[in-house]
Amino acid sequence: MTRYNLSLASLMAICVLSSSPLLADENAESTAYTYGMNLNIAKVIRTEEPQPQVCEVVQVKMTYLSTQGTTETVSYLKLADVCVSNG
């Protein structure tokens, strides 16, 4: 039983430590939206969001062209599309 617990704890630690750089890179690419933030959007280039099978809150990443001509990325939370389609 102790060997099993130690193995499970080690596996969980490896998963957490290996995912930290991935989360840091993702956050560096996009700015998290805060209420009242001035986005100054000229054109939306694309939005990326997961498509879960159940109704839940998902994180969307929107890439857009600002009125100054720079490409910006912002992330925000919204209800998944399945929430709207299922009523």
Side-chain angles (χ1 to χ4, degrees):
M1 188 72 159
T2 304
R3 181 178 284 167
Y4 173 78
N5 290 341
L6 182 60
S7 298
L8 185 59
S10 298
L11 180 61
M12 289 174 51
I14 290 170
C15 290
V16 169
L17 292 175
S18 65
S19 67
S20 295
L22 295 175
L23 294 175
D25 289 341
E26 184 173 314
N27 290 337
E29 291 178 13
S30 66
T31 304
Y33 177 79
T34 57
Y35 184 76
M37 179 185 273
N38 184 11
L39 296 177
N40 206 8
I41 299 171
K43 180 181 179 180
V44 175
I45 299 170
R46 74 175 165 271
T47 58
E48 302 169 29
E49 68 180 275
Q51 299 296 320
Q53 299 298 315
V54 295
C55 182
E56 63 185 6
V57 176
V58 295
Q59 184 170 6
V60 179
K61 189 164 86 170
M62 178 177 68
T63 304
Y64 64 94
L65 187 63
S66 72
T67 56
Q68 289 82 23
T70 60
T71 303
E72 306 288 337
T73 305
V74 66
S75 61
Y76 59 94
L77 300 176
K78 74 176 233 10
L79 282 177
D81 291 336
V82 72
C83 300
V84 176
S85 62
N86 288 340

